[in-house]
Amino acid sequence: MDAKRQGKTPAKQPPERDRRRWPREAQPHNESASPLGPALQPLSFSTLELAPEDQFATWQAHMAPLVEVKLPDDKSPDDGFPADHTAWNLGGMLIVQQHAPAHSYIRSAAKLRSSSIDHWYIALPRTGRSWTEVDRRVAEGQPGKLEIRSLGYPFRGRTTDSESLFLYLPRDLFSDVAATLDAKNNSSLIGNFASLLVDYVNSIEARLRSLTAEDLPRIVHATRSMIIACLAPPAEHAAAAEQLAGVALMERARRYVQNNLDTPHLTPDSMCRALGVSRSRLYQLFEPSGGVLHYIQSRRLLAAHIALSDPADSRRIVEIAEAFGFSSAANFSRAFSKEFGYSPREGRTTVVLPRSANSVSPAGHEKASSFEGWLRSLGS
């Protein structure tokens, strides 16, 4: 933290020198290069702007691909149904943030016959309580508990006014452990591994707007591994614990990098001290990402690009470069051009466009631009 405070005020160079240090000619644009900008664009739905009498019917239609929803007996559609639903598509997994008033829900056998959606989903209640029945076995959901349920089996239930986070994962993602998951359908995940999974998902939710396309497959894989670890029999817990420890350490390392991008002394040594690991362990962690130094530079370049393309950021290019740890304007220009395919000056007018995280062909993009489309294309 002391090092970070010391590096907050970069020395400013005379304007004339700044202009001479930067190339006047635009760098050739590399058509094959694509920005490593934020990969996710949320799909938001809300009834809040609708007339109260129209809110519930609209929510029913939105949830129809998954479940049929009904109001409690003491409620009328005219009372209103203020609800919102924000979905994030990570390609192999959907993350949904949802708030809804009290209601009941059913995924009937008839709906299953008319639907090809058979994903698994994990529910993380934040507020409220729910009761869901599968084959006469009821699972109670409440804050602090994780529920796992299959959309390939009929179920029904009810919930109080609640906020929840849902993870939707394709059945094929767990093809090698299908029997284990089927045996745990409509059950609660508890214990240390479930707590680790909650912490991990919370950290991912906090960073959804800054994730890059290269992050997404690793996040899906790590989530899958943690879910399997939660369901593993005791004999396999030692191996699962070791794997989860690696996942948790990598997430800590990434958060440390993200929180210290503007620190001049962000180095492998400082990371080792902060994380309490050896250099060899740190290098092992970042080997799939091209090495720890490569990862740090890529994140700094991405942060610099976002700042450059932000109309509200009036800093000069050299100030932005220095703010993210580049002491030489020439080095920053070369690294930026190599990373994005154009110069920092061009980056001023080049917005970091969201890259699609969907496993959807261009022809199917329009169809997949709805929650139902995302559900149907998940994992394809």
Side-chain angles (χ1 to χ4, degrees):
M1 294 299 294
D2 291 340
K4 186 172 182 177
R5 285 194 293 266
Q6 291 170 5
K8 277 294 184 181
T9 309
K12 296 183 179 180
Q13 301 295 333
E16 294 79 6
R17 184 179 176 185
D18 291 340
R19 286 194 292 267
R20 288 197 298 271
R21 290 169 68 191
W22 294 98
R24 294 182 178 276
E25 299 80 19
Q27 297 287 336
H29 183 73
N30 183 355
E31 295 293 339
S32 63
S34 55
L36 293 177
L40 303 180
Q41 185 171 7
L43 188 63
S44 298
F45 173 86
S46 175
T47 65
L48 300 180
E49 301 299 323
L50 302 175
E53 62 270 20
D54 296 331
Q55 290 177 344
F56 184 66
T58 304
W59 182 257
Q60 280 184 310
H62 184 70
M63 299 304 294
L66 289 177
V67 292
E68 302 165 28
V69 294
K70 295 182 179 180
L71 288 170
D73 292 340
D74 61 345
K75 295 293 183 181
S76 163
D78 292 339
D79 296 332
F81 196 85
D84 55 72
H85 181 280
T86 302
W88 305 79
N89 193 336
L90 281 70
M93 175 173 70
L94 302 184
I95 296 180
V96 173
Q97 301 156 312
Q98 177 179 303
H99 168 257
H103 64 278
S104 62
Y105 48 87
I106 180 171
R107 185 165 177 81
S108 64
K111 180 170 285 292
L112 287 178
R113 288 193 293 270
S114 65
S115 172
S116 60
I117 299 172
D118 61 354
H119 310 316
W120 287 97
Y121 78 92
I122 306 289
L124 289 74
R126 298 284 169 71
T127 64
R129 300 176 70 185
S130 66
W131 297 264
T132 306
E133 177 188 350
V134 175
D135 291 335
R136 299 183 179 180
R137 188 176 73 244
V138 176
E140 182 178 352
Q142 61 186 37
K145 295 176 65 176
L146 287 168
E147 305 168 67
I148 183 169
R149 194 165 296 117
S150 172
L151 294 172
Y153 291 84
F155 60 82
R156 64 179 181 177
R158 63 185 179 90
T159 180
T160 64
D161 186 288
S162 61
E163 292 185 12
S164 300
L165 189 75
F166 297 96
L167 310 182
Y168 293 91
L169 302 108
R171 176 169 286 271
D172 288 347
L173 190 63
F174 300 94
S175 58
D176 57 330
V177 289
T180 300
L181 265 71
D182 284 335
K184 295 291 186 178
N185 185 28
N186 197 43
S187 64
S188 296
L189 305 179
I190 57 176
N192 290 332
F193 294 139
S195 297
L196 285 171
L197 177 57
V198 171
D199 291 343
Y200 181 71
V201 172
N202 285 341
S203 70
I204 296 304
E205 182 188 15
R207 296 176 57 199
L208 284 169
R209 294 187 181 276
S210 63
L211 296 175
T212 64
E214 67 176 7
D215 294 327
L216 306 186
R218 289 195 289 265
I219 289 172
V220 174
H221 176 74
T223 304
R224 174 191 183 276
S225 298
M226 298 182 85
I227 292 171
I228 293 174
C230 290
L231 303 173
E236 299 176 15
H237 279 180
E242 183 178 352
Q243 184 178 33
L244 287 183
V247 171
L249 179 58
M250 185 62 186
E251 184 57 29
R252 283 178 57 211
R254 290 182 179 179
R255 284 204 304 268
Y256 180 83
V257 171
Q258 190 65 33
N259 292 337
N260 290 276
L261 290 176
D262 58 351
T263 302
H265 304 295
L266 176 59
T267 65
D269 285 339
S270 70
M271 292 182 66
C272 288
R273 289 192 296 272
L275 300 172
V277 299
S278 65
R279 288 177 67 91
S280 59
R281 179 61 172 141
L282 186 71
Y283 292 152
Q284 181 186 42
L285 278 177
F286 282 92
E287 185 177 357
S289 302
V292 62
L293 292 175
H294 176 268
Y295 181 83
I296 290 172
Q297 176 162 291
S298 294
R299 287 291 164 168
R300 281 177 158 167
L301 288 169
L302 173 59
H305 195 321
I306 292 172
L308 282 170
S309 60
D310 182 0
D313 195 326
S314 60
R315 289 177 295 175
R316 295 172 298 163
I317 294 176
V318 67
E319 291 177 313
I320 291 175
E322 290 174 346
F324 291 107
F326 292 89
S327 57
S328 165
N331 288 343
F332 174 69
S333 182
R334 282 193 295 268
F336 189 98
S337 298
K338 182 178 180 181
E339 185 82 359
F340 300 110
Y342 43 82
S343 71
R345 285 191 181 280
E346 291 176 288
R348 276 293 195 196
T349 56
T350 304
V351 177
V352 186
L353 295 174
R355 291 173 61 180
S356 173
N358 312 339
S359 298
V360 183
S361 65
H365 178 74
E366 182 176 346
K367 180 180 178 181
S369 62
S370 66
F371 181 54
E372 181 177 6
W374 280 9
L375 284 169
R376 294 188 182 282
S377 64
L378 182 60
S380 63

